[in-house]
Amino acid sequence: MSTFHVIDGTVAQDVITSAPSEILEIVRDTYLQHSRGATVNPDSYFLRFPDNPGARIIALPAHLGGETPVSGLKWIASYPENVRQNLPRASAVLLLNDAETGYPFACLEASRISAARTAASAALAVETLAPDEAPRTVLFVGAGIIGRTVSDFLAARGLNIRECLVHDHVEAYAEKFAAYATDTHGWQARAVSEVDDALATADLVVLATTAPAPWLADGQTLLPDQLILNLSLRDIHPTVMVKCHNIVDDIDHCLKAQTSPHLTETEYGTRDFIDGTLADVLRGTVTLDRDRPTVFSPFGLGVLDLAVGCHIYRTALDTGRTTEVPNFFPELTRW
C-alpha cells in the first residue's frame, strides 16, 4: 500500500507479445475459475451520451479469488468515430485493488490488455471448437487492432493458415492488414471487396467490426462446420443465430446490450439456442456436432482483464519496468 505503480502500454504490449501462449493459458484458467464460482463479475456499466449515441465508456468491475485474490476495474472508452481520424476506436485503463484493504496499488494502460484477452479467448475458442483439422482459410471482417491481435495469437499457436482473407469497409485498412499478415506471419493474405463470397469459403470467420446492428443475414452462405468468432457481438442476425450452434463466455452477461444473442432471445423468446459456455466445452460437459456452423460470442468478462493485468503487473514489477509513485496516498495511518 505504501507505493502505487503505473505501467504504460509499451510495457504491457511487450509482456503480451513475449509470451502469448502464457496469456492464453491464463484466459483458459480464468474461464474455468469463473465457471466454478470463484470469481465476482458484476454487470458492466455503460456511460452513454445523448449527443453522441455511438460512443460509450464502460466500467467492468471484477474480483478473482484463489491463493492470490485481487479486485479491479477496467474503464474502457469506445468511440467508433475515432477511426475516421485514424485513431484506435478504444482506449482504456485498468486499476488493481488489494483484496485485503481495498487500496488500489497499480494502474495499467489497458487497451492492449483488452485486445489481448479478447484475442486469447478467440484463439482458445478455435482450439476448443474448431474441427480436428486446423482452419485453413480464415476471413477477418474488420481490419482494426482486435483483428490484428487475433491474427497474432493464432500465429503464435502455430495454426496452419493456408489463406487469409481480409474485408473492411475501408479498403486501405484491409490492404494494410493483409500486408501485415503476410509480412509478420508468412500467411498468403489478400484484401477482398466482396464479403459474401469470402464467407462461403472460409473455415474460420473473425468478426471484429464496429457495426451497430446485424448485417450477416439469411442470404449469405455459411458452411456446416464453419467456426464464427462473433467478437464484435452485433454482426449476426437472429435468423442466422438460431440456425447455428451457439457458445458464449457467460450466458447472463452475453444476452444483454443488444448483442446478437440478446436480439435472438428477444426475437424468439427463449435461450434454447444457446448450447453452453466455452468453459462447458473445456470441461467436456457440452459437445457439439458438425451439422451446422458454430458461433462463439464472448461478451468480454472483466475477470479476464483482471487476470491478464495481474500477470503484466507482476512481470513488470519483477523486471523493474514500472513507474513508482511512492506518495500517491499522502496518509496511511488514521492518527
Side-chain angles (χ1 to χ4, degrees), residues 14-62:
D14 182 60
V15 174
I16 291 165
T17 56
S18 64
S21 288
E22 190 170 357
I23 302 295
L24 186 144
E25 294 305 324
I26 289 170
V27 166
R28 183 201 306 273
D29 291 345
T30 306
Y31 273 139
L32 294 173
Q33 188 177 357
H34 180 67
S35 72
R36 294 193 300 268
T39 67
V40 181
N41 199 103
D43 286 344
S44 302
Y45 298 90
F46 290 73
L47 176 63
R48 298 186 183 276
F49 311 95
D51 59 344
N52 188 6
R56 61 190 186 273
I57 308 179
I58 312 167
L60 288 81

Side-chain angles (χ1 to χ4, degrees), residues 177-202:
F177 188 120
Y180 174 84
T182 298
D183 297 341
T184 305
H185 307 317
W187 295 349
Q188 294 185 18
R190 58 186 175 90
V192 293
S193 58
E194 297 296 328
V195 71
D196 289 6
D197 292 341
L199 280 169
T201 63

Side-chain angles (χ1 to χ4, degrees), residues 220-298:
Q220 289 149 307
T221 301
L222 302 179
L223 305 175
D225 59 354
Q226 196 171 50
L227 176 59
I228 303 171
L229 304 180
N230 184 27
L231 305 184
S232 38
L233 288 173
R234 293 171 178 84
D235 295 272
I236 308 175
H237 196 276
T239 57
V240 175
M241 293 287 289
V242 295
K243 297 175 184 175
C244 299
H245 291 296
N246 283 278
I247 298 295
V248 298
D249 53 0
D250 181 289
I251 295 175
D252 289 333
H253 283 276
C254 200
L255 273 70
K256 63 181 62 170
Q258 302 299 303
T259 65
S260 291
H262 183 206
L263 294 176
T264 305
E265 179 189 30
T266 302
E267 177 75 18
Y268 293 95
T270 180
R271 294 183 170 186
D272 290 347
F273 64 95
I274 301 290
D275 294 85
T277 67
L278 188 60
D280 292 332
V281 181
L282 288 168
R283 293 199 315 265
T285 57
V286 168
T287 57
L288 304 176
D289 296 325
R290 304 299 178 191
D291 56 337
R292 46 191 163 142
T294 296
V295 175
F296 174 56
S297 301

Side-chain angles (χ1 to χ4, degrees), residues 9-23 111-117 149 153 308 311-312:
T10 302
V11 174
Q13 182 67 4
D14 182 60
V15 174
I16 291 165
T17 56
S18 64
S21 288
E22 190 170 357
I23 302 295
S111 66
R112 300 297 179 179
I113 293 171
S114 189
R117 62 89 151 139
T149 309
F153 273 75
V308 174
H311 166 70
I312 292 171

Side-chain angles (χ1 to χ4, degrees), residues 13-233:
Q13 182 67 4
D14 182 60
V15 174
I16 291 165
T17 56
S18 64
S21 288
E22 190 170 357
I23 302 295
L24 186 144
E25 294 305 324
I26 289 170
V27 166
R28 183 201 306 273
D29 291 345
T30 306
Y31 273 139
L32 294 173
Q33 188 177 357
H34 180 67
S35 72
R36 294 193 300 268
T39 67
V40 181
N41 199 103
D43 286 344
S44 302
Y45 298 90
F46 290 73
L47 176 63
R48 298 186 183 276
F49 311 95
D51 59 344
N52 188 6
R56 61 190 186 273
I57 308 179
I58 312 167
L60 288 81
H63 174 79
L64 283 172
E67 295 181 359
T68 55
V70 65
S71 303
L73 173 76
K74 183 176 77 170
W75 181 239
I76 180 166
S78 175
Y79 281 59
E81 289 300 312
N82 284 356
V83 175
R84 297 181 182 274
Q85 305 176 56
N86 198 28
L87 287 171
R89 172 186 57 84
S91 58
V93 294
L94 175 68
L95 285 173
L96 302 180
N97 294 74
D98 182 81
E100 181 179 355
T101 67
Y103 271 74
F105 60 86
C107 178
L108 296 83
E109 195 283 329
S111 66
R112 300 297 179 179
I113 293 171
S114 189
R117 62 89 151 139
T118 301
S121 67
L124 178 62
V126 173
E127 296 183 354
T128 307
L129 302 174
D132 293 337
E133 291 186 11
R136 291 162 296 178
T137 300
V138 58
L139 167 64
F140 289 89
V141 184
I145 290 175
I146 296 295
R148 187 172 72 234
T149 309
V150 171
S151 79
D152 294 339
F153 273 75
L154 294 178
R157 300 299 284 183
L159 295 182
N160 184 23
I161 304 297
R162 180 187 63 193
E163 185 179 31
C164 173
L165 310 175
V166 186
H167 175 81
D168 195 283
H169 70 281
V170 178
E171 188 174 353
Y173 294 160
E175 291 173 350
K176 289 180 179 179
F177 188 120
Y180 174 84
T182 298
D183 297 341
T184 305
H185 307 317
W187 295 349
Q188 294 185 18
R190 58 186 175 90
V192 293
S193 58
E194 297 296 328
V195 71
D196 289 6
D197 292 341
L199 280 169
T201 63
D203 305 298
L204 172 65
V205 179
V206 181
L207 301 177
T209 76
T210 58
W215 56 267
L216 203 167
D218 280 335
Q220 289 149 307
T221 301
L222 302 179
L223 305 175
D225 59 354
Q226 196 171 50
L227 176 59
I228 303 171
L229 304 180
N230 184 27
L231 305 184
S232 38
L233 288 173

